[in-house]
Structures are given as structure tokens and as C-alpha cells.
Amino acid sequence: ARVNGNTYNSPEKIYNALLQQLFDFKMEESYSAENARVQLSKKFIPTRKRKATTMYIIMVDEIDQLITTEQEVLYQLFEWPALPGSNMILVSFMHNSPFLFIC
């Protein structure tokens, strides 16, 4: 999946976009970003019963546009591929160097 951080008026909307792109999930307007995040977690972190059979590569362009005070979205995006058994690979791009100073 390929998403652009500059596309969303709220960083949490990236969860809904990923769910739609990767799994052809039919999104209702009332479907919250938190529900989408939970669904993605289930897909990216397999359980003992449900082994990973597919690797997902997520490309996030302009990831620096997802910076918020809480950093919840960025932490989640970087946490998924770091978890044991994860079947997600994150590739991110940024065009502004201030991000380097925030980390």
C-alpha cells in the first residue's frame, strides 16, 4: 500500500486508508480510526492460531506530515513491524528535515 501523509486532515485517517487499500475493506463514514487501527493490528500481528502467510509493505510518503503532539500514529506505524512475528514492512519518506530534530 502507498499512502501520503499530506493527504489526511487528521493523521489517524491513515488507518482507514490502509485498511481500504490493503484489504479492500468497505469503509462506512462512521467507522472510526480506532476501529481501523485495531483491524490493522489483527492483520499485521498474527497469532499462534493464525500464521502470517502474506507480507505487507506499507510506503508512507511525507511521513513528517503525521507529526502530532502525542505521536500516537507514528509510534503505531513504527511499532507494528518491530513486533515479533509481524508481517508488515514500513518504508517511509519525508521531505522536511525538522522531523530529524523532533525525534
Side-chain angles (χ1 to χ4, degrees):
R2 183 172 190 269
V3 291
N4 187 312
N6 201 29
T7 305
Y8 311 103
N9 59 358
S10 170
E12 294 83 13
K13 298 283 184 185
I14 199 168
Y15 300 137
N16 298 65
L18 289 172
L19 199 57
Q20 284 178 315
Q21 281 189 38
L22 290 170
F23 306 106
D24 200 28
F25 195 85
K26 303 299 180 215
M27 200 67 58
E28 297 177 19
E29 288 216 16
S30 62
Y31 203 79
S32 73
E34 177 61 19
N35 287 341
R37 187 193 64 76
V38 168
Q39 290 299 317
L40 289 169
S41 289
K42 289 178 182 177
K43 299 284 189 182
F44 295 149
I45 312 302
T47 63
R48 287 185 180 152
K49 293 180 183 178
R50 189 176 37 88
K51 299 285 185 199
T53 57
T54 304
M55 289 298 293
Y56 299 100
I57 300 173
I58 311 299
M59 292 175 41
V60 182
D61 193 11
E62 299 191 51
I63 198 164
D64 49 308
Q65 297 300 311
L66 302 177
I67 295 172
T68 61
T69 308
E70 304 291 315
Q71 303 293 26
E72 290 178 26
V73 173
L74 284 177
Y75 284 136
Q76 183 65 76
L77 288 174
F78 282 99
E79 179 185 32
W80 277 326
L83 292 172
S86 173
N87 59 347
M88 180 217 181
I89 298 169
L90 177 66
V91 179
S92 61
F93 305 93
M94 66 178 181
H95 305 284
N96 291 326
S97 59
F99 182 70
L100 299 173
F101 302 107
I102 292 172
C103 295

